[in-house]
Amino acid sequence: MNLSTTAKGKEYLILFFIIVVAIVLRFLHPFDIPFTHDEHSALFRINYTSFKDLIEFGVKPDGHPAGIQVLLYFWTILFGYSEIAVKIPFLFLGVFSVFLIYKIGKQWYNSTVGLVSASFLSTLEYFVTYSQIARPYISGLFFTLLMVFFWIKIIKQPQKRVLINAGGYIGGSILCSYNHYFSLLFAVIVGITGLFLIERKFIKRYILFGLIIFIAFIPHIGITIGHLRMGGIEGWLGKPHYDFLIEYLKFAFNNSVLILILVLSIIVFGFYKREFASNYFRHSVIVFCWFILPFLIGFLYSIFVNAVLQYSMLIFSFPFFILLIFGHLPVLSYKYKWLLITVILSITSFSLIVERKHYSYFYNLSYEKILTHHDSLKRAKCDFISIVDSDKKISKYYVEKLSLDTSFIWADSFTSLVDFKSFIRKQNKPNLYFGCISWSNPTIIPIIQDYYPYIEWQKNYFTGTAYLFKKQKTENSQKPIYTSIMTFEGEEKNWRIERKEKVVDTMGYESCSSYLFDSTGESGPTFTIPLKEIINNQNNFIDVSLYTRMDEFPEDVLLCSSLESRGKNIDWRSTSFDTFVPKINYDKVWTKIYHTIKLSDIYLKYPDVILKVGVWNRKKQRFYIDNFEIKVRKGNTVIYGL
């Protein structure tokens, strides 16, 4: 065995170690990896008896290309619907991606760059998580890396192994186009790049490759046009903010200070050595463009057309950012390669397991836990009423899989919040269980707390929360973070009443005083305070409530809140009084109005954020208000991940 073979063998030993780590992190407790909401949704859309119905009802309404949906359709026919059966190909594609980024890094720069890049793909939560999700993200990563691997061979050695390299490039590009529209976009960007780099005598052949890829996508064009007409997903996805890229990079590196220090140290070390290869700058410009262009296109499209940009969509181009920041690393000796790779794998694995708590949070998703908590209380013979606000199809899956009790009430069985409140008011059991997913109406909680005021425990999960409420206080009862109430009996800190003559002492909810709105004005008492003074976490809830007695049924009477930063409004929302005021006998009773602010759904990265709360009497109707209260309660710190 000659020296070069020995050196190559040693290098592959390091790569083997990296891949073993990648396998362990992705396959840890493989039978416990749960389905996410997106996976459940995809699986519900493959239960058709014909391929035509799959395309018509499973692909066209979805907004993604048909590739992964078709794969799941045939895969589940062969291997079934269990979590591990569905996820297996994606788990392996995540591992194969580690090998491919090593090969690309070595082709484009050197073996050290390849090994370092592979180490980060092996252990960063970004890649581990999407390897464990059967959606078109890790598959798209693999397809883009496969395409680029053969593309480099075509560009660098266009006369060698033409059929194999052309087949790999064309096949990878076609897979990208049928996988996800952002992996298709990436394939287009790579293809255009090649037009500037390929030797002129091979340009016609290269254009032919592109034509073959386009022809292969023609059957899907009609579906794609339909998807474009659907628009974006602004119903639940907001437009990106201008710090999106910075926040994305923080997310991609685990939001970890340790990893940031590690990355910066490696970058500085590389520049200290300063051994730039002849093609370093050209290659770095290319990978920079490959990383930044998908982001810019997605960002601008989201700002000016429809919101589509999410972190998941940039996974196809992020490996090239890794190549960009580490591409200047020199070729290290075998000993120093081992040292560097061991440090990277150790720190990033620690971050994944300890800092990010990946296996605690990702393996315990809310859909199952909401139901198992109810089942446990039932088996413990707890005297309680149970309400669940979750996806019914997904819940049915877990009920059948785990043989869980179903003697709970669905939150959507109530026709309105008034109906819900009426039901809660009539309950006399000492405990109430409520399990909900992230999009549950947050106003449900303060309504429950009017009759079950004490939260005995709150279990937080990724995408959902479970609560046990009690009528009686115990030593475990959760305390509110902040409360302030205006009873109009005197002045209160942070409350402002400009028209004090409207405070009357002849009508009140619990006392004799209240505030009168009438035809002389639209606004009344306001509460104003710096947000940071009343919250301890940006996932807190702010529950606003007041009692009102109407002289006529409310029309455009709003309980409003706004968040402002140095005079600029960053969030405004309101609840109409008619949501809670009964349509009959409204002039004879005091009715409670609720308005809840879910801070985790609001972008709060502004300086000096101020909370303002008030009532807007748009049509200048006559009514009274009393017991105007602001309460801050604990939120779910992992509702959208750490």
Side-chain angles (χ1 to χ4, degrees), residues 265-288:
S265 299
I266 296 172
I267 292 173
V268 170
F269 167 76
F271 281 114
Y272 174 74
K273 289 293 183 179
R274 291 196 300 272
E275 294 182 9
F276 299 132
S278 58
N279 289 325
Y280 166 75
F281 292 103
R282 185 174 76 163
H283 291 170
S284 295
V285 169
I286 291 170
V287 294
F288 171 75

Side-chain angles (χ1 to χ4, degrees), residues 39 129 272 451 495:
E39 288 173 294
T129 298
Y272 174 74
Y451 306 97
W495 291 89

Side-chain angles (χ1 to χ4, degrees), residues 246-315:
I246 294 173
E247 292 301 312
Y248 167 70
L249 292 175
K250 288 164 60 177
F251 164 82
F253 287 112
N254 288 16
N255 284 303
S256 170
V257 174
L258 269 178
I259 292 181
L260 175 62
I261 294 171
L262 171 67
V263 169
L264 292 177
S265 299
I266 296 172
I267 292 173
V268 170
F269 167 76
F271 281 114
Y272 174 74
K273 289 293 183 179
R274 291 196 300 272
E275 294 182 9
F276 299 132
S278 58
N279 289 325
Y280 166 75
F281 292 103
R282 185 174 76 163
H283 291 170
S284 295
V285 169
I286 291 170
V287 294
F288 171 75
C289 291
W290 287 356
F291 168 70
I292 204 67
L293 284 176
F295 160 71
L296 287 176
I297 292 169
F299 183 84
L300 294 174
Y301 185 88
S302 296
I303 293 293
F304 296 109
V305 185
N306 281 301
V308 297
L309 188 61
Q310 301 176 75
Y311 292 166
S312 57
M313 296 176 176
L314 298 180
I315 195 172

Side-chain angles (χ1 to χ4, degrees), residues 85-109:
V86 171
K87 291 173 182 285
I88 274 288
F90 298 87
L91 289 162
F92 277 112
L93 289 178
V95 175
F96 297 156
S97 297
V98 174
F99 175 76
L100 281 176
I101 193 62
Y102 158 75
K103 296 294 289 185
I104 292 169
K106 185 176 181 179
Q107 283 177 321
W108 214 234
Y109 295 103

Side-chain angles (χ1 to χ4, degrees), residues 187-364:
V188 171
I189 292 170
V190 172
I192 293 173
T193 305
L195 293 174
F196 297 96
L197 299 179
I198 193 78
E199 291 183 42
R200 294 301 94 183
K201 63 182 178 180
F202 297 109
I203 189 71
K204 290 183 179 179
R205 188 172 71 188
Y206 185 76
I207 292 173
L208 177 62
F209 296 162
L211 183 61
I212 293 171
I213 296 166
F214 175 75
I215 291 171
F217 191 68
I218 287 176
H220 200 281
I221 288 178
I223 296 173
T224 299
I225 292 172
H227 288 164
L228 289 172
R229 288 173 178 165
M230 289 169 58
I233 45 180
E234 286 190 26
W236 59 270
L237 179 68
K239 290 185 180 297
H241 295 271
Y242 288 97
D243 64 346
F244 180 94
L245 184 59
I246 294 173
E247 292 301 312
Y248 167 70
L249 292 175
K250 288 164 60 177
F251 164 82
F253 287 112
N254 288 16
N255 284 303
S256 170
V257 174
L258 269 178
I259 292 181
L260 175 62
I261 294 171
L262 171 67
V263 169
L264 292 177
S265 299
I266 296 172
I267 292 173
V268 170
F269 167 76
F271 281 114
Y272 174 74
K273 289 293 183 179
R274 291 196 300 272
E275 294 182 9
F276 299 132
S278 58
N279 289 325
Y280 166 75
F281 292 103
R282 185 174 76 163
H283 291 170
S284 295
V285 169
I286 291 170
V287 294
F288 171 75
C289 291
W290 287 356
F291 168 70
I292 204 67
L293 284 176
F295 160 71
L296 287 176
I297 292 169
F299 183 84
L300 294 174
Y301 185 88
S302 296
I303 293 293
F304 296 109
V305 185
N306 281 301
V308 297
L309 188 61
Q310 301 176 75
Y311 292 166
S312 57
M313 296 176 176
L314 298 180
I315 195 172
F316 316 125
S317 54
F318 183 70
F320 300 96
F321 177 78
I322 294 177
L323 291 176
L324 173 68
I325 61 176
F326 298 131
H328 62 293
L329 292 175
V331 178
L332 299 178
S333 67
Y334 177 67
K335 179 176 67 174
Y336 285 110
K337 282 179 182 175
W338 261 119
L339 177 61
L340 179 58
I341 297 310
T342 301
V343 169
I344 293 171
L345 294 178
S346 299
I347 291 176
T348 50
S349 296
F350 172 83
S351 175
L352 174 76
I353 298 167
V354 179
E355 285 188 325
R356 300 295 296 169
K357 299 181 175 66
H358 173 76
Y359 301 101
S360 298
Y361 290 122
F362 186 70
Y363 281 38
N364 290 284

